[in-house]
Amino acid sequence: MSEQTRETREQGTSQARRVVVVGAGMAGVQTAVALREQGLKGTVTLIGAEPHQPYDRPPLSKAVLLGKAEGSAFDVDFEALGIELRLGREALGVRPADHELDTEAGPVPYDVLVLATGAEPVRLPGAEGVPGVHLLRTLDDAERLRPVLARQHDIVVVGAGWIGAEFATAAREAGCAVTVVEAADRPLAGALPAEVAAPMASWYADSGAVLRTRARVERVEPGAVVLDDGSRLPAGAVVVGIGARPATAWLAGSGIELGTHQEVVTDEHLRTSAPDVYAVGDCASFPSRRYGERLLVHHWDNALQGPRTVAANIIGETPAAYDPVPYFWSEQFGRFVQYAGHHGAADRTLWRGDPAGPAWTVCWLKEDRLVALLAVGRPRDLAQGRRLIEAGAPLHPEALTDPARPLKDATA
């Protein structure tokens, strides 16, 4: 073993003196906590761009937005864990050869660096600087929107994805008139096949919201949204929810490999192309042996699970691989929607229950093995289905379609 190889390996073990984590969202916080829980003795520094105490994001589109909670700070005693917080400091770049992170407050040396900067919302072209246009990603965003909902403005939501649906739900609960405009022909077009997303379109009308599909925004003016067909929608406020992209622009010039979506490319151990640099959460993609492709997962559970693998690999002698069954949930229009797996390579779709009803499940199979499922109001299906995906066991497809039979009984 060369001296350089030995030095690199030692820097990846519990001998590491300084671990620096960039990004104080779920992935960053959980990485810092996991390092301590798994026995790291060196220093752990958590650097966040926002000035707020680190907080969880899901409540922003629900409790915080509706004034039912003032914030969603993580219940973590950073001081007791020996985690140094440096907040309100934006990361500007990385110099892997020097083992230094550049920040607004100057360079920060590291032995091991973890990139956990998450994703940032895609902005609507031409809408920046127009009064009344909002994003919903940060605590500050939620606090700016809260009085808008309280005044019961007419609200136009651009984008019928997960965040658009969740915000529309909260706005209707607050008593606002809501119109959702979506460029595609259905909600969740980027996430689900047409036949699965189609039943969800009626949820908008059921809640009193107006959904306009195949509707592209021509421009946003103060007090109005103008569509490309010339129609004009009154808008006391406009909320943009047209997706998110990995927050990695600051890595330009670092030499760290980025993928087709500008995400940090990692190996199965969540290591980047730079020595002693890991990446986790929304900003990183990883190769999945289970699904035979590289996955970029922008969901809370990935930011919760990935850090345990990162911590184990920083501390341990034996590298741990990361290959989860992706999972997420969404609460919208009075329904609890859960998804597990990855349906991209599925060759068969089976339904459990009537999609016009309040509770149903869609199962995706590949060669009689469950690879993904979407459960609406059927949490037991989700829990059992997730275990079936993990097990990779062959199933009796006909047993899956009977909603009265437990999913776990479908094993061949």
Side-chain angles (χ1 to χ4, degrees):
M1 185 187 300
S2 71
E3 189 60 35
Q4 184 176 7
T5 302
R6 182 179 290 108
E7 181 182 346
T8 299
R9 178 168 294 181
E10 286 179 355
Q11 287 176 336
T13 70
S14 58
Q15 302 305 312
R17 297 180 304 281
R18 300 164 298 187
V19 178
V20 175
V21 182
V22 190
M26 171 61 79
V29 167
Q30 290 300 323
T31 298
V33 170
L35 285 165
R36 287 301 189 218
E37 288 179 343
Q38 294 183 32
L40 184 87
K41 302 301 183 188
T43 63
V44 178
T45 303
L46 183 62
I47 296 177
E50 294 183 55
H52 311 290
Q53 277 291 112
Y55 60 88
D56 202 5
R57 293 191 189 280
L60 299 185
S61 61
K62 307 174 185 73
V64 175
L65 195 59
L66 292 170
K68 297 177 181 178
E70 286 305 309
S72 55
F74 290 113
D75 185 17
V76 175
D77 190 335
F78 294 100
E79 185 176 356
L81 288 171
I83 298 169
E84 180 191 4
L85 290 181
R86 298 187 187 179
L87 304 176
R89 299 190 183 189
E90 187 175 355
L92 303 177
V94 179
R95 287 175 284 117
D98 299 326
H99 276 64
E100 285 194 334
L101 169 77
D102 290 319
T103 75
E104 289 178 317
V108 179
Y110 65 83
D111 293 316
V112 178
L113 179 67
V114 181
L115 308 177
T117 46
E120 56 194 5
V122 175
R123 297 178 183 274
L124 185 65
E128 291 191 53
V130 178
V133 176
H134 300 262
L135 298 167
L136 180 52
R137 183 74 184 181
T138 68
L139 180 60
D140 289 340
D141 292 337
E143 290 180 345
R144 279 190 289 267
L145 275 164
R146 192 154 63 179
V148 173
L149 266 60
R151 290 194 293 268
Q152 297 186 334
H153 279 297
D154 289 347
I155 293 177
V156 173
V157 180
V158 183
W162 299 113
I163 192 67
E166 290 182 4
F167 178 80
T169 300
R172 286 298 300 138
E173 187 176 331
C176 300
V178 178
T179 301
V180 181
V181 297
E182 169 58 52
D185 61 353
R186 61 187 187 277
L188 294 167
L192 297 173
E195 69 272 19
V196 177
M200 300 176 174
S202 64
W203 298 357
Y204 288 78
D206 292 346
S207 77
V210 175
L211 173 63
R212 295 189 58 164
T213 57
R214 296 187 177 89
R216 293 187 176 276
V217 175
E218 179 72 29
R219 65 184 183 277
V220 179
E221 302 173 350
V225 173
V226 181
L227 303 181
D228 61 357
D229 64 359
S231 56
R232 189 182 186 86
L233 307 177
V238 178
V239 177
V240 179
I242 54 176
R245 61 167 64 95
T248 59
W250 66 282
L251 292 171
S254 68
I256 294 173
E257 182 185 355
L258 301 182
T260 55
H261 300 283
Q262 295 303 297
E263 84 282 8
V264 180
V265 172
T266 75
D267 65 9
E268 63 181 352
H269 308 300
L270 299 180
R271 295 178 300 210
T272 73
S273 62
D276 307 314
V277 181
Y278 293 79
V280 66
D282 290 5
C283 71
S285 67
F286 57 90
S288 170
R289 186 172 301 177
R290 185 192 312 277
Y291 290 106
E293 61 182 284
R294 179 167 288 277
L295 299 183
L296 174 61
V297 181
H298 280 191
H299 292 297
W300 186 91
D301 191 66
N302 179 52
L304 176 67
Q305 304 295 341
R308 296 168 189 165
T309 298
V310 169
N313 286 330
I314 290 173
I315 293 170
E317 295 288 344
T318 305
Y322 186 60
D323 196 6
V325 173
Y327 166 76
F328 72 90
W329 80 97
S330 176
E331 294 179 83
Q332 51 183 270
F333 308 119
R335 294 166 174 84
F336 186 43
V337 183
Q338 295 171 284
Y339 177 97
H342 178 66
H343 64 266
D347 53 31
R348 192 171 183 185
T349 305
L350 298 175
W351 294 75
R352 287 168 58 81
D354 181 2
W360 45 275
T361 297
V362 179
C363 299
W364 285 275
L365 281 74
K366 183 179 182 183
E367 299 173 356
D368 291 339
R369 283 173 168 78
L370 189 66
V371 294
L373 78 160
L374 177 90
V376 177
R378 292 182 66 96
R380 185 173 297 175
D381 277 5
L382 191 288
Q384 294 180 8
R386 193 175 185 180
R387 288 194 287 270
L388 290 174
I389 297 170
E390 289 170 346
L395 305 177
H396 289 299
E398 64 277 5
L400 289 176
T401 59
D402 182 355
R405 292 180 63 178
L407 262 180
K408 63 182 180 181
D409 291 349
T411 51

